[in-house]
């Protein structure tokens, strides 16, 4: 399997910005600070840096002394060039309407939004929670926060009330930006209703800004607005103050840009903190080099801006490079399973960046759907979120890419901010591996002492040296930052993944070593799902594990101990599933629930999920010496 090699075609190689991985990697490894400084100098800074890196392990600062604003590089910078009139964003709704924005228009809208935020009292350093459907205003709102120096905390629209509430509380947001709802599969997602429930219990929130989406088409829907707290965006945007100039707030390169909550081993989500300067450089450099973006391209990332993929590779990187991107509001199978292929052919998409889950899902509908459309505009494909199984890789390559388009399998994390392991177009590919670390990134597979493991053996996937777009800390919790990422293996950042290296130095990610489950590429913590289950009155205890799933990658199975007086049965199981859906997220609903008398635990009371999983998969149970009984 690992012998299956796809070298770059002559055409790909000819167009490639970087022609030799080895050459650039060697240069970057010899002097990483010089490499990153050169990448950074392609962007505009209000004031230059005096020092590239300050490394006080495990705390890094990049581009010290510099002043910048990521939005200046996304928008304002382009207005001085011909790109002022270039399309920045082509948006298609589920029902097929379009809204297009040139760089000029996007700048105008972001400025207007920023003025509205200011009129509500938002200031530099404030945390603003963004809970939006996939409409242009989702990106506009995020960019507007960054423009005025506020710190955005975007919550994926698929999260429910409790998850939203917990994240608002942790960030102590003063402002929440939402919409009256969103459309998905023709159904209305009641975002404002969830915000109402979440905000009722969140004392920090002073105002809720509501963008009109669903009531435009469904005026019959009544959206309750609380006087003095809730404001319609379109009403404030129509006021004269909204059209005033609103220059980008000059930020220190280490000033926070956003918090993005993600799941980990603890029950509470962790607030990953990124900053303006280094993050901007990582996003810009990786997007430019890996996707080889060109001015004539139309790029489409199918993710939601509520996840890190959407933050870096929808909201920021495409605009940083002056690219044109496509955004689609709805479901991939609406109204038929060829929606994506239809979008590609109608809009002439050249680069498609998607996930293994989506690919496997669309693969199931058969080749007739894509074959109905002209996909010849495609030049390059991308994948992210979980290991792509070689079968899905080959289908993507053959049926969608017509064996012409290289697949950039990009490995990275919310924490890393941008791609870490990924091919460049000039690199020979092997289905199922993201190949090697990008230039300037020092990664390896090691044992618990930090020694490289022999080729072919599993070990910890670690990062040795700091990189510009790394998380700076966990919001309000530097100790946990040290403990989670910098304590398992001495002196290096542990990713939480296990991996092995092959004879070419290609890294094969095996999976997570901790209690993170990737469901459809979405990152969930077992503890989060368990605490959602335990919040149901019938549940005394719960343990969740991930089991292999053909389309979703993993599915969740929950083992539940009931409180006295509650009857097991299919009805209760459905109720528990819905409970997780309404409290945490629909994605987190367990596929299977098994009612048990007790859970296997260590003598210190920790649930041994490993045993449950081994038993479920029919594997050897392994060491049980710590088992309670
Ligand atoms: C997994 C998503 C294999 C990995 C950008 C990582 C991958 C976690 C890949 C981070 C890939 C992401 N191949 N595994 N190309 N991309 N992963 O924070 O386990 O949602 O640690 O970031 O996803 O998930 P997160």
């Amino acid at each position: 399997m690992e012998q299956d090699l796809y070298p770059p075609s002559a055409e790909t190689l000819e167009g490639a910005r970087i022609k030799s991985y080895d050459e650039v990697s060697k240069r970057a490894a010899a002097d990483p600070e010089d490499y990153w400084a050169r990448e950074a100098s392609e962007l505009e800074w209000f004031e230059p840096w005096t020092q590239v890196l300050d490394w006080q392990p495990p705390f890094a600062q990049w581009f010290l002394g510099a002043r910048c604003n990521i939005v200046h590089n996304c928008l304002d910078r382009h207005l001085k060039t011909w790109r002022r009139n270039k399309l920045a964003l082509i948006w298609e709704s589920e029902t097929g309407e379009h809204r297009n924005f040139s760089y000029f228009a996007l700048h105008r809208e972001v400025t207007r939004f920023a003025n509205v935020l200011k009129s509500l009292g938002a200031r530099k350093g404030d945390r603003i929670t963004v809970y939006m459907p996939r409409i242009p205003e989702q990106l506009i709102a995020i960019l507007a926060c960054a423009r005025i120096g506020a710190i955005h905390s975007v919550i994926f629209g698929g999260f429910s009330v409790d998850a939203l509430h917990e994240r608002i509380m942790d960030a102590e947001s003063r402002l929440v930006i939402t919409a009256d709802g969103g459309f998905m599969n023709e159904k209305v997602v009641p975002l404002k209703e969830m915000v109402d429930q979440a905000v009722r219990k969140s004392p920090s929130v002073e105002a809720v800004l509501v963008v009109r989406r669903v009531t435009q088409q469904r005026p019959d829907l009544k959206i309750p607005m609380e006087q003095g707290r809730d404001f319609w965006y379109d009403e404030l945007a129509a006021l004269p103050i909204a059209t005033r100039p609103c220059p980008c707030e000059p930020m220190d390169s280490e000033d926070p840009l956003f918090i993005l909550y993600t799941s980990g081993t603890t029950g509470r989500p962790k607030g990953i903190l990124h900053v303006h300067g280094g993050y901007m450089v990582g996003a810009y450099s990786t997007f430019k080099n890996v996707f080889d973006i060109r001015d004539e391209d139309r790029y489409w990332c199918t993710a939601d801006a509520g996840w890190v993929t959407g933050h870096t590779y929808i909201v920021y990187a495409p605009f940083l490079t002056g690219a044109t991107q496509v955004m689609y509001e709805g479901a991939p199978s609406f109204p038929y399973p060829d929606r994506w292929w239809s979008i590609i052919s109608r809009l002439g998409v050249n680069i498609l960046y998607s996930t293994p889950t989506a690919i496997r899902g669309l693969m199931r509908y058969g080749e007739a759907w894509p074959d109905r459309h002209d996909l010849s505009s495609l030049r390059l494909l991308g994948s992210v979120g979980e290991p792509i199984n070689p079968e899905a890789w080959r289908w993507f390559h053959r049926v969608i890419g017509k064996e012409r388009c290289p697949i950039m399998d990009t490995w990275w994390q919310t924490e890393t901010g941008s791609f870490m392991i990924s091919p460049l177009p000039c690199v020979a590919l092997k289905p199922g591996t993201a190949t090697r670390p990008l230039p300037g990134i020092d990664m390896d597979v090691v044992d618990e002492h930090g020694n490289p493991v022999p080729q072919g053996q599993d070990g910890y996937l670690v990062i040795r040296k700091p990189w510009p777009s790394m998380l700076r800390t966990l919001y309000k919790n530097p100790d946990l930052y040290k403990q989670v990422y910098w304590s398992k293996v001495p002196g290096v950042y542990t990713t939480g993944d296990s991996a092995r290296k092959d004879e070419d130095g290609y890294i094969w990610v095996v999976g997570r070593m901790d209690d993170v489950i990737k469901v459809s590429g979405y990152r969930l913590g077992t503890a989060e799902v368990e605490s959602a289950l335990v919040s149901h009155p019938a549940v005394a205890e719960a343990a969740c594990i991930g089991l292999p799933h053909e389309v979703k990658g993993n599915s969740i199975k929950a083992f539940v101990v009931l409180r006295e007086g509650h009857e097991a049965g299919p009805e209760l199981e459905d109720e528990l599933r819905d409970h997780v859906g309404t409290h945490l997220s629909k994605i987190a609903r367990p596929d299977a629930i098994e009612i048990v008398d007790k859970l296997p635990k260590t003598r210190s009371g920790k649930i041994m999920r490993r045993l449950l999983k081994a038993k479920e998969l029919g594997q050897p149970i392994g060491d049980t010496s710590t088992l309670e009984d």
Side-chain angles (χ1 to χ4, degrees):
M1 193 76 85
E2 297 184 12
Q3 299 314 315
D4 198 357
L5 201 68
Y6 293 73
S9 69
E11 200 192 336
T12 299
L13 207 52
E14 202 195 308
R17 198 175 248 116
I18 294 178
K19 310 267 189 228
S20 161
Y21 169 86
D22 289 338
E23 206 182 293
V24 179
S25 274
K26 236 181 246 159
R27 176 164 63 76
D31 192 348
E33 289 181 34
D34 176 68
Y35 175 79
W36 289 116
R38 277 168 198 260
E39 293 294 285
S41 59
E42 293 179 15
L43 295 162
E44 286 185 359
W45 301 77
F46 303 141
E47 269 170 52
W49 55 88
T50 49
Q51 190 184 340
V52 177
L53 169 67
D54 176 62
W55 180 224
Q56 312 284 340
F59 296 98
Q61 298 190 72
W62 284 85
F63 310 111
L64 282 86
R67 296 190 83 72
C68 61
N69 186 307
I70 191 169
V71 180
H72 172 82
N73 277 295
C74 287
L75 302 175
D76 304 58
R77 176 166 82 105
H78 304 307
L79 299 192
K80 296 175 281 183
T81 72
W82 67 272
R83 287 195 185 118
R84 178 177 189 270
N85 297 320
K86 182 181 172 177
L87 278 184
L89 180 65
I90 303 169
W91 176 81
E92 179 166 310
S93 75
E94 202 171 63
T95 51
E97 313 145 82
H98 287 108
R99 287 173 67 196
N100 295 344
F101 298 80
S102 64
Y103 273 91
F104 172 80
L106 191 62
H107 174 269
R108 184 191 62 217
E109 293 310 313
V110 169
T111 304
R112 192 197 302 269
F113 211 109
N115 275 323
V116 169
L117 294 178
K118 279 186 175 170
S119 76
L120 291 172
R123 297 275 169 278
K124 177 175 173 177
D126 284 353
R127 275 80 57 210
I128 299 182
T129 295
V130 180
Y131 185 60
M132 291 279 277
R134 286 191 201 188
I135 55 175
E137 283 76 8
Q138 183 186 28
L139 314 192
I140 292 167
I142 298 172
L143 290 164
C145 292
R147 188 172 190 84
I148 64 168
I151 303 167
H152 56 78
S153 162
V154 182
I155 316 298
F156 171 53
F159 276 118
S160 314
V161 178
D162 293 359
L164 179 59
H165 171 244
E166 189 173 26
R167 287 158 175 77
I168 292 174
M169 291 289 283
D170 189 81
E172 298 167 277
S173 293
R174 290 179 61 186
L175 195 64
V176 177
I177 307 172
T178 188
D180 51 6
F183 289 111
M184 185 55 84
N185 261 320
E186 269 186 319
K187 286 198 205 77
V188 170
V189 186
L191 297 171
K192 172 66 166 60
E193 215 176 286
M194 309 236 219
V195 169
D196 285 340
Q197 290 180 48
V199 165
R200 207 170 293 148
K201 306 176 278 179
S202 313
S204 63
V205 177
E206 293 162 17
V208 177
L209 186 58
V210 188
V211 174
R212 218 180 274 282
R213 169 67 187 128
V214 293
T215 48
Q216 274 173 338
Q217 277 167 36
R218 297 272 316 273
D220 56 302
L221 292 175
K222 289 282 161 279
I223 308 293
M225 297 287 279
E226 195 179 301
Q227 262 254 309
R229 187 199 69 184
D230 298 351
F231 301 89
W232 285 107
Y233 172 70
D234 51 340
E235 290 175 6
L236 299 186
L239 300 175
I241 47 158
T243 54
R244 286 205 292 228
C246 177
C248 286
E249 185 74 30
M251 305 296 284
D252 187 281
S253 43
E254 284 293 318
D255 275 338
L257 170 63
F258 66 82
I259 304 167
L260 185 55
Y261 288 93
T262 191
S263 304
T265 30
T266 56
R268 299 193 47 226
K270 300 177 294 192
I272 307 292
L273 187 83
H274 284 288
V275 299
H276 270 257
Y279 174 81
M280 167 173 83
V281 173
Y284 168 78
S285 164
T286 52
F287 188 72
K288 174 188 68 153
N289 293 331
V290 171
F291 290 148
D292 235 333
I293 193 77
R294 302 170 191 172
D295 260 320
E296 62 274 25
D297 278 336
R298 287 186 169 190
Y299 158 84
W300 180 23
C301 169
T302 62
D304 189 285
W307 299 96
V308 77
T309 302
H311 276 55
T312 306
Y313 297 104
I314 297 177
V315 179
Y316 291 114
F319 299 140
L320 284 170
T321 55
T324 297
Q325 71 171 317
V326 169
M327 178 176 183
Y328 166 56
E329 174 185 43
S333 55
F334 186 88
Y336 301 109
D338 63 344
R339 183 59 180 266
W340 280 16
W341 320 129
S342 150
I343 291 175
I344 290 168
S345 69
R346 278 185 292 106
L347 299 180
V349 172
N350 309 100
I351 301 173
L352 174 69
Y353 186 35
S354 192
T355 63
T357 288
I359 297 159
R360 287 190 296 259
L362 290 164
M363 199 170 132
R364 280 202 313 183
Y365 293 111
E367 295 175 27
W369 291 105
D371 283 352
R372 227 171 262 193
H373 299 275
D374 176 7
L375 302 181
S376 61
S377 60
L378 287 174
R379 192 187 88 228
L380 193 139
L381 304 171
S383 170
V384 63
E386 54 183 316
I388 179 165
N389 47 311
E391 193 198 349
W393 194 100
R394 287 197 193 88
W395 187 87
F396 200 31
H397 188 252
R398 179 175 59 83
V399 179
I400 307 306
K402 310 292 178 205
E403 298 182 341
R404 284 184 306 105
C405 307
I407 301 177
M408 300 298 112
D409 176 2
T410 60
W411 182 98
W412 59 297
Q413 307 180 298
T414 308
E415 291 85 345
T416 68
S418 61
F419 305 152
M420 294 281 111
I421 310 174
S422 166
L424 297 167
C426 67
V427 165
L429 309 172
K430 298 180 192 180
T433 162
T435 75
R436 288 167 293 182
L438 285 171
I441 302 298
D442 185 355
M443 292 183 72
D444 209 345
V445 179
V446 301
D447 63 19
E448 67 267 33
H449 307 295
N451 304 313
V453 299
Q455 173 201 316
Q457 265 183 34
D458 288 6
Y460 297 91
L461 181 64
V462 301
I463 311 178
R464 283 216 185 87
K465 290 207 181 81
W467 63 101
S469 67
M470 68 192 276
L471 77 162
R472 294 305 189 259
T473 187
L474 290 177
Y475 185 59
K476 296 196 294 198
N477 209 339
D479 290 336
L480 192 64
Y481 164 73
K482 281 191 212 163
Q483 182 204 320
V484 172
Y485 303 106
W486 297 92
S487 68
K488 297 226 171 57
V489 182
V492 297
Y493 170 93
T494 44
T495 63
D497 283 15
S498 68
R500 70 197 137 78
K501 261 172 141 179
D502 70 13
E503 64 283 5
D504 296 315
Y506 283 29
I507 293 173
W508 296 73
V509 169
V510 180
R512 297 289 305 189
M513 300 178 95
D514 54 10
D515 295 325
V516 168
I517 309 179
K518 279 266 172 166
V519 179
S520 302
Y522 297 126
R523 181 164 161 182
L524 298 166
T526 49
E528 275 178 297
V529 186
E530 287 158 7
S531 75
L533 282 165
V534 173
S535 72
H536 188 281
V539 178
E541 274 188 302
C544 293
I545 57 168
L547 294 175
H549 186 280
E550 213 179 309
V551 176
K552 298 195 283 188
N554 294 289
S555 69
I556 296 178
K557 172 157 187 181
F559 298 85
V560 169
V561 179
L562 294 182
R563 283 180 196 280
E564 223 155 304
H566 292 273
E567 279 294 313
E571 261 170 44
L572 180 64
E573 284 170 29
D574 282 345
E575 200 181 309
L576 293 179
R577 220 170 269 135
D578 288 345
H579 184 80
V580 174
T582 46
H583 286 263
L584 180 59
S585 168
K586 287 215 169 72
I587 303 157
R589 287 158 50 109
D591 277 21
I593 294 182
E594 188 175 324
I595 309 291
V596 293
D597 291 336
K598 62 176 178 179
L599 297 169
K601 285 189 192 158
T602 61
R603 268 174 231 116
S604 58
K606 268 179 88 175
I607 298 170
M608 295 182 81
R609 298 185 187 85
R610 179 175 62 80
L611 292 190
L612 292 168
K613 189 160 176 169
K615 190 165 155 263
E616 206 62 30
L617 297 174
Q619 288 168 350
I621 287 189
D623 181 13
T624 54
S625 55
T626 54
L627 193 64
E628 186 181 35
D629 69 300

